[in-house]
Amino acid sequence: MPVSLLWAVDVYGRVYSLSTGGQQWEQCRDAQLEFKRVTAAEQCCWGIACDHNIYLNLHASDLPVRYQEETYENHRWNPVDGFSERLLPSDRWQWSDVTGLQHQPLDGFTLPCDNWEWEADWHVDDNFEGETAEKGGWTYAIDFPATYTKDKKWNSCVRRRRWIRYRRYKARDTWAKIPSEQSVLPDPISDISCGGWEISEEPRGRLSLWAVSLQGKVWFREGIYHHNPEGSSWEDVPLPGEVVQISCGPGDLVWAVLWEGQLIVREGIGRDCPKGASWVVVDSPSPDVGATHVAVGVNVVWAITKDNRVWFRRGVNSHNPCGSGWIGMVGEMIMINVGLNDQVWAIGCEDRAVYFRQSVTSSELSGKAWKAINVPRDGDRSHSSASTSSLQSAGCFFSGEVRAQSVVSDVDSDTEREKGSAEGASSLVTSASPESLADAPADPASDPPIDAPKPRIPKVTSDSFISELVSDRESGKTASEGGSVAPAIPEEESVPGDGKVKSCPSGVVLSPSRSGGPPDPQWSNVDLEEAQIQQAGAAAVTDSADTCSLSSVATYTLALEEPYGADEHPLWAWVNGGGCSVDCHSQLNWFNCSTTLSVAQSVQSMSLSITPAQTAAWRRQIFEQLGERSKREMDNFRHYEQAIEQSVWVKKGNMQWWRDWKPHKWMDVRFALEQFSGPDGNKDGILFIYYNFHEEKKYLHAFINEVTILVPVLNDSKHTFAIYTPERTKQRWPIRLAAATELEMHDWLALLSVSCCDARGIQGPPSKQAIWSVTCKGDIFVSEPSPGLEATPYPTPCDQMFWRQVGGHLRAVECNSVGVVWGIGYDHTAWVYTGGYGGGIFQGLASSTDNIYTQTDVKSVYIYENQRWNPVTGYTNRGLPTDRYMWSDASGLHECTKTNTKPPSPHWTWVSDWAVDYGISGGTDREGWQYAADFPASYHGYKTLKDFVRRRQWARKCKLTTTGPWQEVPPIPLSDVTVLPCAAQSSVEVVPLWAISNKGDVLCRLGVTTLTPAGSSWLHVGTDQPFKSISIGAANQVWAIAKDGSAFYRGSVSLQNPAGDCWYHIPSPAKQKLKQVSVGRTSLYAVDENGNLWYRQGLTPSYPQGSSWEHISNNVRKVSVGPLDQVWIIADKVQGSHSLSCGTVCHRLGVQPMEPKGQSWDYGIGGGWDHITVRGNTMESPRVRLPSLTDPSALQSSFPVRNMEEVNGSAVGC
């Protein structure tokens, strides 16, 4: 029987292979990533890694994988030059393919990926139809195309010759990544399955690879054969529903599982159509429980339902791929796989062990019984017997003498018995009786040495170690007295066990280990046989009271880097036998008793008896040793001064600075960052800007711990960024710097960001209480709230909040206090936060090593074509001298033509051409024009007699590719999202999350938890009209805003009824159309299209719709109400020291339970901000005692009060 491999993946993502002729799992050491699933054929194995990429492991063989590249050199004859490369305009390319239609120069051929290498350079192929061509390999013809001959004739006007070059596939026996440019898929792959090698023998090595994406789509890999093992491209396969898992057999069987639990079968698969023609739906084996997994072979189909039951499909063959009916089988499994010869493997539900189906034959395809594959892994550290020196060292450590060395017996055990017995046999511990101790030889060196690694016994530093051992022994006795454990997988046919224990010399008694109890520690397992020694009598113990007899200590080698303990079996997550050739007559070594014997024989057995007097003596000795050590290491050096390590380093560079005084202009400056660490280990630094003013050298400085935010600024001509401090935040005038290159700007931003975080002691990802915000450019920032941020009456000013950037690009972010964070991109794609940090410009410097993924975003750039009417020519692009540019932006102040308009930054690339946008507000005519009386005015989509100007909007899409801690949530694009603002220390299991699609549909996300923040599926909530904004409060009160500006309240929303019952229409404020709403714990705020902020009065648990609207402020763009009814907004315009600042973060002060509307506004970072959410901040404010009017000291020590200019009025104070 030729040797083949069984592949498996454990729960830690490590890939193992088990040879049909081997007796242990071999780990794929070259796999640098963790893998999720694998699928194998005889010649290769495919896998999905944790980075969502597909990898190929091609087995090495004597036959190399070579691919021949070819191109043709074409010449035409002319009377002057003869045959030359000058061709007619109607001729083919000088270098082309065999048809002449494709241009193929020699330098145009590149390797598909790094997995290939060139064998040699290009050379001429002299072979022509089996004969050697003459004169440099040329073949002649009358014209292109025609019949070619190797001999030149008088009428031969054209000639050609073939150039060939071979490339070799070098990635053998290693995991090679399928290049992304060849496998561009819309979303990550969740399942793959290969097969189909029996459909056709040509081309040699042809395979069918099927893949399922997280979006539920099925893809087929084209062009996989021997000379092209990676395939060429992916092709989408139409589906009747969303698929979760797929299985492909060696022949023409392909089955898949739908989200609803049904199964579908692919029909029409053949030699000419390997991907099939259509799908047929097959019901689940159980009408009440849907299927979760399916596996197919040549003539069999196995399935697993959600209750982990195993089912067999009868009547399946090539002529009837759907089969005839289901048969329930014994056993509970989490996944199943069918390999060659219809052999079956599975993974147990309870123990996560790999099981093999016995007695599967062509006449009995369902087999008879499950049998566990209990073989060790190559990385396991065996329980080796202790050497003489290790026994002596252990005896000296426990202040006793080694009286007898334990004897290890041979144990015969059948692995067909239950799992507990199999595990117990792998970790047997022998316990010597008192009689054997007395008769045993006193010299341990007389025993033959055992060739095994020396066990390491950990040092004992306190009596807590002995207490832990005693408790460990008690639990072990309980488990051993309870008997054997029942089988985890019941069998259809009971196989009687013939396991027996051989006679043990010197009366040694074998006691099974705790098969049913919790796993032992990784480094030791000590049995204390105090009671047994006392019952044996004093005659058997010859040592004094201060000695002990080591006779039953099972000591395991330290293996901290191994995820499993020494006596634990591996936990498997996936198994695949697609390339494992096994039949009913195969002699496998996986179930031989010798494997279990070798493990049992490697157990080190000793016995340890400890008396209370010895314990007390050890305790005194340990305390004395610790005291001496402390005196030796501490007291003798107290007269030395404490060493203080300080370090200072400086980074300098040349930049340009936008100076503070008029006339404002860019100045060349020297920029320096000086960072130092203090005696307490805290880091701080100073920024210096050195410049010349009237030939006098001056400098500007800012302390790192005073920097509140670093913001990249988009500029057409310069790579600029801004530095804010609390004082400059109040002035709305940051320090603006410009670097020479974009790379230099990113380096400075990343370095300054890390320095600011170090100075403030901020490390790692944002906390669950963090406040998230987004700029109008799509940059994401977070701030860790302080306890005094919502304090009354002296809150922490919000211009002192420190904001740090998070990688990614979004339009809006929503969060809550249990760590569920969702975002929406400009292209309406939904993203969920993965828990990482960094990415983007911080990649590699301040980023986490995982949870960082590639993120893309697409948005449109708009320009306007303007025209004016005149009596002669009608509407033309000739305007009045006072008119705006005929091609301009929305304001008309800047000229923007199709040619000179660029993407927002160099990171963006165009992905479409300019096109007329018909979706502009106000409507358009058939050509996209909007009409008005003059510039600027109110535009409408129809022409009247008074309309003398018109415009139309042009749009062009651009795409950004970046990285960040975000994963896409397909497939529905969203326009708004809201998460339940949970209270502090909330124990909610399922987090309610509502959203609105870009078409206005209301959706409720199911299955959102802290462990699975992306949820599982969408539940559509019916509405009469499209919506545009939605918010859910802490008490499950759901409010929404329709596109016509009206408000709605969803009734009867609860955890048991997450979608509620019906919508209640709430009248909007008089003559106003609402556009956004936010609900907190007991408060509700809304913003209308004119920028007014409204508070809903009269909200009570008995009347959740409220009574009326009250105007709070104007000049508001967005509002966010937190779980403690905190109110934060984005103000549209705020007056600064130099100009108006658009898009500023503002905080409502004075919000209390008795005064939910607050009193005044506190201004924070801005402008340029577009979104903020405080729905994760459940940090209660500390209670501040008001100073007494009669206590002068209290008045002097009270906090200073900030000057608040407005009360319950405009957010700009005007």
Side-chain angles (χ1 to χ4, degrees):
M1 179 184 69
V3 175
S4 56
L5 297 178
L6 174 69
W7 294 83
V9 182
D10 66 1
V11 295
Y12 296 91
R14 297 177 303 187
V15 182
Y16 290 82
S17 61
L18 177 61
S19 171
T20 53
Q23 290 182 293
Q24 70 174 1
W25 291 100
E26 300 287 343
Q27 184 179 355
C28 296
R29 302 293 181 183
D30 61 317
Q32 302 297 326
L33 297 174
E34 291 81 11
F35 278 72
K36 297 181 179 180
R37 296 184 178 183
V38 293
T39 179
E42 292 188 62
Q43 69 271 26
C44 64
C45 181
W46 300 74
I48 305 175
C50 62
D51 59 353
H52 300 297
N53 289 315
I54 298 180
Y55 289 75
L56 171 64
N57 190 326
L58 186 65
H59 305 334
S61 64
D62 297 333
L63 184 64
V65 176
R66 301 169 72 234
Y67 186 88
Q68 176 183 288
E69 300 281 7
E70 66 174 16
T71 185
Y72 287 83
E73 182 183 7
N74 306 302
H75 281 184
R76 176 174 286 277
W77 183 87
N78 65 75
V80 178
D81 303 320
F83 283 99
S84 69
E85 59 188 24
R86 297 181 182 179
L87 303 176
L88 298 178
S90 58
D91 281 341
R92 57 182 61 189
W93 302 92
Q94 180 193 350
W95 296 90
S96 69
D97 61 350
V98 65
T99 64
L101 302 178
Q102 298 292 331
H103 183 44
Q104 293 185 170
L106 294 180
D107 56 357
F109 289 82
T110 59
L111 294 174
C113 61
D114 296 336
N115 303 329
W116 295 83
E117 62 181 0
W118 294 112
E119 283 192 350
D121 204 350
W122 289 97
H123 62 275
V124 175
D125 183 16
D126 295 329
N127 182 23
F128 178 73
E129 297 181 352
E131 299 180 2
T132 302
E134 300 176 354
K135 300 178 182 179
W138 292 103
T139 57
Y140 300 85
I142 298 177
D143 201 353
F144 301 119
T147 301
Y148 293 88
T149 62
K150 67 175 183 178
D151 298 323
K152 180 182 176 182
K153 301 179 180 180
W154 66 270
N155 59 352
S156 298
C157 297
V158 295
R159 68 176 182 179
R160 73 173 186 182
R161 60 179 174 180
R162 187 173 73 150
W163 292 75
I164 59 176
R165 190 180 188 184
Y166 289 93
R167 51 181 167 92
R168 179 193 298 265
Y169 192 81
K170 63 179 181 179
R172 309 291 288 268
D173 281 344
T174 184
W175 290 101
K177 178 182 176 181
I178 301 301
S180 57
E181 61 269 14
Q182 295 185 11
S183 59
V184 178
L185 295 174
D187 56 351
I189 294 298
S190 61
D191 188 33
I192 55 175
S193 180
C194 71
W197 52 82
E198 294 182 0
I199 297 177
S200 174
E201 297 179 357
E202 294 293 332
R204 182 165 55 90
R206 200 202 69 83
L207 285 179
S208 297
L209 182 67
W210 298 77
V212 178
S213 67
L214 291 179
Q215 197 175 353
K217 294 183 177 180
V218 171
W219 301 81
F220 181 79
R221 186 73 172 171
E222 294 277 1
I224 301 178
Y225 58 98
H226 175 74
H227 296 296
N228 189 25
E230 297 177 341
S232 55
S233 62
W234 290 101
E235 186 170 351
D236 188 10
V237 180
L239 291 169
E242 295 184 2
V243 172
V244 295
Q245 189 258 331
I246 196 169
S247 179
C248 176
D252 54 1
L253 279 186
V254 176
W255 281 55
V257 181
L258 298 178
W259 279 101
E260 296 81 5
Q262 296 175 310
L263 298 105
I264 55 176
V265 184
R266 191 66 172 171
E267 291 187 337
I269 296 178
R271 177 178 301 178
D272 300 328
C273 186
K275 67 174 183 178
S278 61
W279 295 98
V280 176
V281 179
V282 176
D283 292 333
S284 173
S286 177
D288 300 329
V289 182
T292 60
H293 197 94
V294 68
V296 302
V298 179
N299 294 309
V300 297
V301 174
W302 293 73
I304 295 178
T305 50
K306 294 181 180 178
D307 54 0
N308 298 322
R309 291 192 59 190
V310 182
W311 300 82
F312 174 82
R313 187 75 172 176
R314 65 172 182 264
V316 176
N317 52 58
S318 298
H319 304 287
N320 184 23
C322 297
S324 56
W326 294 103
I327 301 175
M329 312 301 289
V330 176
E332 291 185 356
M333 305 290 176
I334 60 171
M335 70 86 56
I336 198 167
N337 181 259
V338 179
L340 299 178
N341 303 318
D342 289 339
Q343 301 298 312
V344 184
W345 290 266
I347 294 180
C349 176
E350 296 294 335
D351 55 355
R352 288 298 185 100
V354 176
Y355 286 84
F356 176 69
R357 190 69 176 176
Q358 289 186 311
S359 304
V360 174
T361 62
S362 57
S363 59
E364 187 70 26
L365 292 174
S366 61
K368 294 184 178 181
W370 296 106
K371 192 171 186 178
I373 300 177
N374 291 321
V375 295
R377 297 160 298 149
D378 60 348
D380 286 343
R381 284 166 167 80
S382 61
H383 307 184
S384 58
S385 301
S387 62
T388 303
S389 59
S390 65
L391 289 174
Q392 292 176 348
S393 63
C396 296
F397 179 79
F398 287 101
S399 303
E401 297 180 5
V402 179
R403 289 305 184 192
Q405 186 172 354
S406 60
V407 181
V408 181
S409 65
D410 295 337
V411 180
D412 289 333
S413 174
D414 187 9
T415 57
E416 179 57 25
R417 290 155 61 184
E418 62 270 18
K419 168 182 169 290
S421 301
E423 292 184 357
S426 65
S427 57
L428 290 174
V429 178
T430 62
S431 302
S433 64
E435 293 79 10
S436 65
L437 292 177
D439 299 334
D443 186 11
S446 61
D447 290 344
I450 300 175
D451 187 12
K454 178 179 178 180
R456 294 158 52 189
I457 303 178
K459 294 183 179 180
V460 179
T461 57
S462 69
D463 59 333
S464 62
F465 175 72
I466 304 299
S467 303
E468 183 178 351
L469 296 182
V470 175
S471 62
D472 196 28
R473 175 57 183 166
E474 291 173 356
S475 61
K477 287 183 178 181
T478 304
S480 62
E481 292 170 1
S484 61
V485 182
I489 304 298
E491 306 292 344
E492 288 85 356
E493 293 185 4
S494 60
V495 181
D498 56 354
K500 57 185 178 180
V501 179
K502 293 184 180 180
S503 60
C504 303
S506 303
V508 175
V509 179
L510 296 178
S511 61
S513 66
R514 298 168 297 163
S515 60
D520 295 335
Q522 290 187 355
W523 48 271
S524 69
N525 178 18
V526 181
D527 290 339
L528 306 180
E529 298 290 349
E530 179 179 354
Q532 183 178 352
I533 297 299
Q534 290 177 355
Q535 293 175 4
V541 181
T542 60
D543 296 340
S544 59
D546 58 345
T547 61
C548 65
S549 175
L550 273 99
S551 58
S552 180
V553 179
T555 305
Y556 306 103
T557 307
L558 283 173
L560 298 180
E561 69 274 14
E562 292 293 332
Y564 304 111
D567 58 347
E568 295 180 7
H569 68 82
L571 304 178
W572 300 106
W574 196 262
V575 66
N576 189 275
C580 187
S581 180
V582 177
D583 55 36
C584 59
H585 305 292
S586 301
Q587 297 296 327
L588 298 175
N589 297 324
W590 303 343
F591 314 106
N592 290 348
C593 297
S594 58
T595 304
T596 308
L597 260 172
S598 62
V599 177
Q601 289 176 349
S602 65
V603 178
Q604 173 189 353
S605 302
M606 293 180 290
S607 178
L608 176 65
S609 61
I610 301 174
T611 64
Q614 293 170 346
T615 303
W618 288 350
R619 190 173 301 174
R620 288 194 307 270
Q621 180 183 358
I622 291 172
F623 278 121
E624 290 175 359
Q625 293 175 355
L626 289 176
E628 293 176 359
R629 177 181 175 180
S630 177
K631 183 177 181 180
R632 182 175 64 254
E633 296 184 356
M634 300 295 297
D635 296 346
N636 296 339
F637 299 93
R638 291 189 182 276
H639 61 280
Y640 288 96
E641 294 183 2
Q642 183 179 2
I644 299 176
E645 182 181 355
Q646 294 183 349
S647 61
V648 179
W649 62 268
V650 180
K651 178 178 174 60
K652 299 180 180 180
N654 295 320
M655 288 195 181
Q656 287 187 319
W657 169 54
W658 187 255
R659 69 183 190 183
D660 294 338
W661 61 88
K662 294 183 180 180
H664 302 298
K665 65 178 183 179
W666 291 102
M667 295 179 58
D668 293 330
V669 297
R670 290 280 296 170
F671 185 72
L673 168 63
E674 180 178 333
Q675 190 173 16
F676 51 87
S677 59
D680 53 356
N682 294 331
K683 295 182 180 180
D684 204 347
I686 307 177
L687 295 173
F688 292 97
I689 299 175
Y690 301 97
Y691 63 94
N692 294 326
F693 182 68
H694 296 312
E695 299 182 356
E696 181 181 357
K697 293 184 179 180
K698 295 187 176 183
Y699 71 90
L700 182 71
H701 75 280
F703 293 99
I704 284 293
N705 57 11
E706 293 182 355
V707 174
T708 57
I709 193 171
L710 302 159
V711 186
V713 180
L714 298 181
N715 191 296
D716 294 337
S717 58
K718 294 183 180 296
H719 310 287
T720 64
F721 62 95
I723 302 175
Y724 282 87
T725 62
E727 186 63 30
R728 289 186 172 270
T729 299
K730 296 175 185 178
Q731 300 174 0
R732 310 292 159 195
W733 190 260
I735 300 174
R736 300 182 184 179
L737 297 169
T741 63
E742 184 181 12
L743 179 60
E744 183 181 356
M745 181 193 71
H746 289 170
D747 290 343
W748 275 108
L749 276 176
L751 179 61
L752 292 173
S753 178
V754 173
S755 301
C756 292
C757 292
D758 290 341
R760 296 176 180 265
I762 298 176
Q763 299 293 336
S767 68
K768 297 179 181 180
Q769 312 283 336
I771 300 175
W772 296 72
S773 64
V774 182
T775 67
C776 59
K777 307 300 183 183
D779 296 324
I780 309 164
F781 289 88
V782 293
S783 177
E784 300 296 336
S786 62
L789 193 59
E790 301 292 339
T792 304
Y794 308 116
T796 302
C798 62
D799 56 25
Q800 297 182 6
M801 298 171 59
F802 173 69
W803 298 86
R804 56 173 173 152
Q805 189 172 357
V806 176
H809 188 274
L810 296 172
R811 178 177 57 85
V813 177
E814 285 298 332
C815 64
N816 72 348
S817 61
V818 297
V820 178
V821 183
W822 278 52
I824 300 176
Y826 279 82
D827 57 355
H828 301 286
T829 300
W831 301 86
V832 63
Y833 176 62
T834 61
Y837 62 97
I841 61 174
F842 307 102
Q843 187 72 30
L845 180 61
S847 295
S848 56
T849 57
D850 52 3
N851 293 326
I852 299 297
Y853 301 94
T854 301
Q855 183 182 11
T856 60
D857 202 358
V858 178
K859 70 177 183 179
S860 298
V861 176
Y862 300 100
I863 60 175
Y864 292 87
E865 179 184 5
N866 307 302
Q867 292 186 353
R868 176 173 288 276
W869 183 86
N870 66 72
V872 179
T873 58
Y875 287 102
T876 64
N877 55 6
R878 295 183 179 181
L880 300 177
T882 57
D883 277 345
R884 57 180 59 189
Y885 295 101
M886 292 296 99
W887 288 89
S888 69
D889 59 358
S891 65
L893 302 177
H894 304 282
E895 184 178 13
C896 300
T897 64
K898 292 182 179 180
T899 56
N900 66 7
T901 301
K902 299 179 181 179
S905 76
H907 295 284
W908 295 82
T909 56
W910 295 119
V911 293
S912 70
D913 294 328
W914 290 104
V916 176
D917 184 12
Y918 297 92
I920 188 173
S921 177
T924 65
D925 62 5
R926 294 183 177 179
E927 297 180 352
W929 293 103
Q930 288 185 314
Y931 300 87
D934 202 354
F935 299 121
S938 177
Y939 294 93
H940 44 267
Y942 53 90
K943 184 181 180 304
T944 65
L945 294 177
K946 298 181 180 181
D947 294 332
F948 295 98
V949 296
R950 68 177 182 179
R951 72 171 187 180
R952 61 178 171 183
Q953 180 175 274
W954 292 77
R956 190 178 186 183
K957 292 183 178 181
C958 54
K959 182 178 181 180
L960 170 71
T961 301
T962 181
T963 58
W966 306 93
Q967 276 190 313
E968 184 179 353
V969 183
I972 302 178
L974 305 180
S975 63
D976 195 17
V977 66
T978 180
V979 190
L980 178 77
C982 305
Q985 307 298 329
S986 175
S987 60
V988 60
E989 295 182 358
V990 180
V991 180
L993 185 145
W994 290 64
I996 295 179
S997 70
N998 63 336
K999 297 180 180 180
D1001 299 324
V1002 178
L1003 306 170
C1004 178
R1005 189 68 172 176
L1006 303 179
V1008 178
T1009 63
T1010 55
L1011 298 179
T1012 58
S1016 57
S1017 60
W1018 288 108
L1019 177 63
H1020 182 268
V1021 180
T1023 58
D1024 295 335
Q1025 57 180 315
F1027 282 25
K1028 61 181 178 181
S1029 177
I1030 195 166
S1031 180
I1032 181 172
N1036 288 290
Q1037 60 270 46
V1038 178
W1039 286 69
I1041 305 297
K1043 286 193 175 181
D1044 62 358
S1046 58
F1048 288 87
Y1049 169 77
R1050 186 70 176 177
S1052 303
V1053 177
S1054 63
L1055 295 178
Q1056 295 74 24
N1057 186 20
D1061 292 337
C1062 61
W1063 292 103
Y1064 296 92
H1065 179 265
I1066 308 298
S1068 302
K1071 300 180 180 179
Q1072 301 294 336
K1073 293 183 178 180
L1074 300 178
K1075 69 174 184 179
Q1076 190 239 333
V1077 64
S1078 183
V1079 189
R1081 180 169 55 183
T1082 61
S1083 299
L1084 182 145
Y1085 285 81
V1087 180
D1088 63 25
E1089 294 180 351
N1090 294 322
N1092 296 308
L1093 180 65
W1094 299 88
Y1095 169 74
R1096 186 68 177 174
Q1097 290 184 332
L1099 292 179
T1100 62
S1102 60
Y1103 192 67
Q1105 297 93 332
S1107 57
S1108 61
W1109 296 98
E1110 180 178 353
H1111 184 265
I1112 301 297
S1113 176
N1114 59 8
N1115 195 42
V1116 177
R1117 185 182 300 176
K1118 293 282 182 66
V1119 63
S1120 178
V1121 183
L1124 304 178
D1125 288 334
Q1126 316 99 303
V1127 181
W1128 291 66
I1129 64 168
I1130 301 294
D1132 204 16
K1133 296 179 181 178
V1134 172
Q1135 182 63 47
S1137 59
H1138 295 77
S1139 61
L1140 283 176
S1141 179
C1142 299
T1144 301
V1145 175
C1146 297
H1147 176 209
R1148 189 69 173 173
L1149 301 179
V1151 175
Q1152 301 180 28
M1154 301 304 295
E1155 194 173 355
K1157 296 176 290 186
Q1159 298 175 352
S1160 58
W1161 295 107
D1162 183 22
Y1163 306 122
I1165 191 66
W1169 257 248
D1170 193 54
H1171 183 87
I1172 188 171
T1173 176
V1174 295
R1175 297 171 67 82
N1177 182 16
T1178 58
M1179 191 174 296
E1180 297 279 356
S1181 60
R1183 296 187 178 182
V1184 180
R1185 182 177 60 88
L1186 293 176
S1188 174
L1189 298 178
T1190 60
D1191 188 0
S1193 62
L1195 289 175
Q1196 294 177 1
S1197 61
S1198 62
F1199 297 100
V1201 182
R1202 301 189 73 204
N1203 294 326
M1204 303 301 172
E1205 298 181 359
E1206 59 88 20
V1207 177
N1208 199 27
S1210 172
V1212 298
C1214 57

